[in-house]
Amino acid sequence: MSHVLDYYNHLHTIPELGFEEVKTSKFIAEKLAEFGYTNIQTGVGGTTGVVATMDSGEPGPTVLLRADMDCLAHNIDGEVVLRHTCGHDGHSSMLLATAEEVIKYYPVSSGKLIFLFQPAEELGTGAHAIADAGVLEGVEYAFGAHVRPIEEASNGQAVAAIYYASSATIQATFTGVTSHAARPHLGVNALDAAVLAINAVNTIHLRPTESYSVKATQFHADSGVTNSIPGKAFVTWDLRAQLNPTMKELHEKVITAITNAGQANGCTVEYDDSKMLTAAEHNEECIDLLKEAISEVLGDENMVPEVITPGGEDFWVYTNRYPNLKAGFFGLGCDLKPGLHHPDMSFDTSALENGVKIYLTVLKNLGMID
């Protein structure tokens, strides 16, 4: 047995938001050094990212294993509470335990092995920052994992491929002119423009054979008093599409709709659409490697068919930035309930040991460790 539960029990108590994982990354870097890794990078790309590398010096593939580190913020009874309700503490624990097992018992005999602890997955910008730092240069294979809801996989099961959708966030600011509510003709009502934009977006229709959705998730407009027309309004939209070309079309139409709606009401419109996650593009060789590993660790009967989900995952930014990268991403069954991102999310932590074994088996089958 590895020490994965020890690491989880600690990381679970120090939840930190994206790009603020200071205590988390410090703990991980200290443990990697304690294990015996000498090639450790911290503050990767000016972030809290941590990278540890083991180079055999012998010919072979360059393989990257990646885990995310950040938590979520929940508004509970009027108080903002930080909690690990997406399982990233479990992901980091699995990867940390895998790194320990490798250096202690399975020295890398060929190629180069990279352990990446990535910040800010929930923000959708962590993978971009890591890619910008050049961590993926020369990497041939990349693998990641995510704990799964009980509806998809139970404890003792695993999924060889999770087909995440493309997801995007558009945050628009509508700027009009504030005026007294008794003299609306002297102002430009940003709230009206925002409402018109929401309705305009709701009229967007793409081919019904393609899976997609778009909906407003936040709306703020308040001049500070009840008898004043607001001069600013803020709306956030969430976009989802199972295929990357569908997302491109949806994104363009949403931008057109909100821009035209705002201008029709006399408002200027500015928007931030920097949060864009690519749909999953699994490599068939990686799927086969993960299927083989799951079969060896858990048995064929506990391999769940590939899962299609409307959820997003910024791991796939890497394949978008590096089209020749061979990537695989497995789902770990762990009796997770009532659901990801729920403030009371919990799972059977004994499943984390299975994740460590699956990672190690993939490395063995790639010929990197004995």
Side-chain angles (χ1 to χ4, degrees), residues 148-181:
R148 303 312 301 163
I150 193 169
E151 295 84 4
E152 292 180 6
S154 301
N155 190 20
Q157 296 181 321
V159 189
I162 305 290
Y163 282 90
Y164 286 92
S166 173
S167 66
T169 300
I170 296 177
Q171 295 174 302
T173 301
F174 299 84
T175 302
V177 178
T178 301
S179 69
H180 195 292

Side-chain angles (χ1 to χ4, degrees), residues 70-191:
D70 54 326
C71 77
L72 287 160
H74 294 274
N75 191 323
I76 302 175
D77 298 328
E79 180 184 356
V80 176
V81 179
L82 304 186
R83 290 184 180 177
H84 269 298
T85 53
C86 199
H88 296 186
D89 48 351
H91 306 160
S92 288
S93 301
M94 287 192 297
L95 193 57
L96 192 57
T98 301
E100 181 180 20
E101 293 290 297
V102 165
I103 199 167
K104 287 186 175 180
Y105 307 113
Y106 306 100
V108 176
S109 56
S110 66
K112 182 189 296 184
L113 181 57
I114 301 171
F115 296 95
L116 166 62
F117 296 86
Q118 180 207 297
E121 190 279 332
E122 297 294 350
L123 298 180
T125 50
H128 284 289
I130 294 298
D132 288 343
V135 174
L136 277 292
E137 290 292 336
V139 174
E140 297 171 53
Y141 296 88
F143 294 93
H146 205 297
V147 290
R148 303 312 301 163
I150 193 169
E151 295 84 4
E152 292 180 6
S154 301
N155 190 20
Q157 296 181 321
V159 189
I162 305 290
Y163 282 90
Y164 286 92
S166 173
S167 66
T169 300
I170 296 177
Q171 295 174 302
T173 301
F174 299 84
T175 302
V177 178
T178 301
S179 69
H180 195 292
R183 304 173 187 85
H185 62 292
L186 299 179
V188 176
N189 196 328
L191 190 155

